[in-house]
Amino acid sequence: MTWLEQLAVFGAGIAAGGINTIVGSGTLITFPILLAFGVPPVTANVSNTIGLVPGSLSGVHGYRRELAGQRARLLRLGSASLFGGITGAVLLLVLPADAFKAIVPILIIAALMLVVVQPRLARWVKRQRENDDTPAPAHGGPILFAAIYATGVYGGYFGAAQGVLLIGLLGVFVHEDIQRLNGVKNALALIVNGISASIFIVVADVNWRVAVLIALGSIIGGQLGARMGRRMPPTVLRAVIVVVGVIAVVRLLSS
């Protein structure tokens, strides 16, 4: 990779770290960049997952105040994310590379649709909260546990818009302040990415230069996302994510 390409990967890591902390979908920034620079799809996904872990940790640290008092919830839902992430990572490694190239465009398109409909989803969640006077399980109940596990499988396999899925699920099933739920979302995504990365480091082909560049960028982005991300125009952010996601789909289908 040239110095300009490495700088672009570092910048993409900053953007992805910030986006993951605020919304999720940071992979839709970094993954297309890696494909454009000729990194094979599975290697790009593995290296990207490893690189984004420090950014996820940075984002969780930035939301530490919102996580106070949620230890029991994190332990319960975190176990679902842990086992889901293991399942997804194993699927990525055991399925052939051709399967990844066939499945990922579908996953990206689904993720982009989630990014687009997120404002409507948020409004629907708000109405549900206003209209539902019945007491809800403190940690969402068994349906949420199963859904968090399934999201972990998706996150371990690819993971774009994992955060959108998580915040949508948490908002529906847990009656809690949205910023506190966003802190939980960041922690669950960290668990999935962390366990997947641990598996990939041991058994997968990693482009360590790419992983380090994304890691350094995502640490900065995670802090920026936690401190200033709420000031970013959400429409602009979603537009950027959709554009780079479409680029990724076109790149995968044409390769």
Side-chain angles (χ1 to χ4, degrees), residues 23 31 42 45 68 80 100 107 109 124 145 156 161 205 209 218 224:
V23 184
F31 188 69
V42 174
N45 188 43
F100 180 83
L107 297 180
I109 292 171
W124 181 81
F145 186 90
D205 181 20
R209 178 175 297 182
S218 68
L224 291 175

Side-chain angles (χ1 to χ4, degrees), residues 61 168 199 221 247:
H61 181 265
I199 294 171
I247 292 171

